[in-house]
Coordinates of all heavy atoms in Angstrom, one line a residue:
A1233 N 16.3 67.5 112.9 CA 17.3 68.5 113.1 C 17.8 69.2 111.8 O 18.0 70.4 111.8 CB 18.4 67.9 113.9
V1234 N 18.0 68.3 110.8 CA 18.5 68.8 109.5 C 17.4 69.8 108.9 O 17.8 70.9 108.4 CB 18.7 67.7 108.6 CG1 18.9 68.2 107.1 CG2 20.0 66.9 109.0
L1235 N 16.2 69.4 109.1 CA 15.1 70.3 108.5 C 15.0 71.6 109.2 O 14.8 72.7 108.6 CB 13.7 69.6 108.6 CG 13.6 68.3 107.7 CD1 12.2 67.7 107.9 CD2 13.8 68.6 106.3
D1236 N 15.3 71.6 110.5 CA 15.3 72.9 111.3 C 16.5 73.8 110.7 O 16.3 75.0 110.6 CB 15.6 72.6 112.8 CG 14.4 72.1 113.5 OD1 13.3 72.2 113.0 OD2 14.6 71.4 114.5
R1237 N 17.6 73.2 110.4 CA 18.7 73.9 109.9 C 18.4 74.4 108.4 O 18.7 75.6 108.1 CB 20.0 73.0 109.8 CG 21.2 73.7 109.3 CD 21.7 74.8 110.2 NE 22.8 75.5 109.6 CZ 24.1 75.1 109.9 NH1 24.3 74.1 110.7 NH2 25.1 75.8 109.3
V1238 N 17.7 73.6 107.7 CA 17.3 74.0 106.3 C 16.4 75.3 106.4 O 16.5 76.2 105.7 CB 16.6 72.9 105.6 CG1 16.0 73.4 104.3 CG2 17.6 71.8 105.2
A1239 N 15.4 75.2 107.3 CA 14.5 76.3 107.5 C 15.3 77.6 107.9 O 14.9 78.7 107.4 CB 13.5 76.0 108.5
E1240 N 16.3 77.4 108.7 CA 17.1 78.6 109.2 C 18.0 79.1 108.1 O 18.1 80.3 107.9 CB 17.9 78.2 110.4 CG 18.8 79.3 110.9 CD 19.6 78.9 112.1 OE1 19.2 77.8 112.7 OE2 20.6 79.5 112.5
D1241 N 18.6 78.2 107.3 CA 19.6 78.6 106.3 C 18.9 79.1 105.0 O 19.5 79.8 104.2 CB 20.5 77.5 105.9 CG 21.5 77.1 107.1 OD1 21.6 78.0 108.0 OD2 22.0 76.0 107.1
G1242 N 17.7 78.6 104.7 CA 17.0 78.9 103.5 C 17.4 78.1 102.3 O 17.1 78.5 101.2
Y1243 N 18.1 77.0 102.5 CA 18.5 76.1 101.4 C 18.8 74.8 102.0 O 19.0 74.6 103.2 CB 19.7 76.7 100.6 CG 21.0 76.5 101.3 CD1 21.8 75.4 101.1 CD2 21.5 77.5 102.2 CE1 23.0 75.3 101.7 CE2 22.7 77.4 102.8 CZ 23.5 76.2 102.6 OH 24.7 76.1 103.2
A1244 N 18.8 73.8 101.1 CA 19.2 72.4 101.4 C 20.2 71.9 100.5 O 20.1 72.1 99.2 CB 18.0 71.5 101.5
L1245 N 21.3 71.3 101.0 CA 22.3 70.6 100.1 C 22.3 69.1 100.5 O 22.5 68.8 101.7 CB 23.7 71.2 100.4 CG 24.8 70.6 99.6 CD1 24.7 70.9 98.1 CD2 26.1 71.2 100.1
V1246 N 22.0 68.3 99.5 CA 21.9 66.8 99.8 C 23.1 66.2 98.9 O 23.1 66.4 97.7 CB 20.6 66.3 99.4 CG1 20.6 64.7 99.4 CG2 19.5 66.8 100.4
D1247 N 23.9 65.4 99.6 CA 25.1 64.9 99.0 C 25.1 63.4 98.9 O 25.3 62.7 99.8 CB 26.3 65.3 99.8 CG 27.6 65.2 99.1 OD1 27.6 64.7 97.9 OD2 28.7 65.7 99.6
Q1248 N 24.7 62.9 97.7 CA 24.7 61.5 97.3 C 23.8 60.6 98.3 O 24.1 59.5 98.5 CB 26.2 61.0 97.4 CG 27.1 61.8 96.4 CD 28.5 61.2 96.4 OE1 28.7 60.3 95.7 NE2 29.4 61.9 97.1
E1249 N 22.7 61.2 98.8 CA 21.8 60.4 99.6 C 20.7 59.8 98.7 O 20.1 58.8 99.1 CB 21.2 61.3 100.6 CG 22.1 61.8 101.7 CD 21.4 62.6 102.8 OE1 20.4 62.0 103.3 OE2 21.9 63.6 103.2
L1250 N 20.5 60.4 97.5 CA 19.5 59.8 96.6 C 20.1 58.8 95.7 O 19.6 57.7 95.5 CB 18.8 60.9 95.8 CG 17.8 60.5 94.7 CD1 16.6 59.9 95.4 CD2 17.5 61.7 93.8
E1251 N 21.3 59.2 95.2 CA 22.0 58.3 94.3 C 23.5 58.7 94.4 O 23.8 59.8 94.5 CB 21.5 58.5 92.8 CG 22.1 57.6 91.8 CD 21.5 57.8 90.4 OE1 20.4 58.3 90.4 OE2 22.2 57.4 89.5
E1252 N 24.3 57.6 94.4 CA 25.8 57.9 94.4 C 26.2 58.7 93.2 O 25.8 58.5 92.1 CB 26.5 56.6 94.5 CG 26.3 55.9 95.8 CD 27.1 54.6 95.9 OE1 27.9 54.3 94.9 OE2 27.0 53.8 96.9
G1253 N 27.0 59.7 93.5 CA 27.5 60.6 92.4 C 26.6 61.8 92.2 O 27.0 62.7 91.4
V1254 N 25.4 61.9 92.8 CA 24.5 63.0 92.6 C 24.5 63.9 93.8 O 24.2 63.4 94.9 CB 23.1 62.5 92.3 CG1 22.1 63.7 92.1 CG2 23.1 61.7 91.0
R1255 N 24.8 65.2 93.6 CA 24.7 66.2 94.6 C 23.7 67.2 94.2 O 23.6 67.6 93.0 CB 26.1 66.8 94.8 CG 26.2 67.9 95.8 CD 27.6 68.4 96.0 NE 28.4 67.4 96.7 CZ 29.6 67.0 96.3 NH1 30.2 67.4 95.2 NH2 30.3 66.1 97.0
S1256 N 22.9 67.8 95.0 CA 21.9 68.8 94.6 C 21.7 69.8 95.7 O 21.9 69.6 96.9 CB 20.5 68.1 94.3 OG 19.9 67.6 95.4
I1257 N 21.3 71.0 95.3 CA 21.0 72.1 96.2 C 19.7 72.7 95.8 O 19.4 72.9 94.6 CB 22.2 73.1 96.1 CG1 22.1 74.2 97.2 CG2 22.3 73.8 94.7 CD1 23.3 75.0 97.4
A1258 N 18.9 73.1 96.8 CA 17.5 73.5 96.6 C 17.2 74.7 97.5 O 17.8 74.9 98.6 CB 16.5 72.4 96.8
V1259 N 16.3 75.5 97.0 CA 15.8 76.7 97.8 C 14.3 76.7 97.7 O 13.7 76.2 96.7 CB 16.4 78.0 97.3 CG1 17.9 78.0 97.5 CG2 16.0 78.3 95.9
P1260 N 13.6 77.4 98.6 CA 12.1 77.5 98.5 C 11.7 78.5 97.4 O 12.3 79.5 97.2 CB 11.7 77.9 99.9 CG 12.9 78.7 100.4 CD 14.1 78.0 99.8

């Protein structure tokens, strides 16, 4: 469901899921 939203919004924001304290934002 998150990936569907990413495809619709054109970006992804991931908040401390990879490492605590790290936030990242990506686009295609």
Side-chain angles (χ1 to χ4, degrees):
V1234 167
L1235 295 178
D1236 288 339
R1237 181 66 182 271
V1238 169
E1240 181 180 340
D1241 292 343
Y1243 74 94
L1245 179 66
V1246 170
D1247 197 352
Q1248 304 184 79
E1249 296 187 44
L1250 176 68
E1251 184 177 338
E1252 292 181 3
V1254 176
R1255 177 177 288 134
S1256 66
I1257 190 166
V1259 298

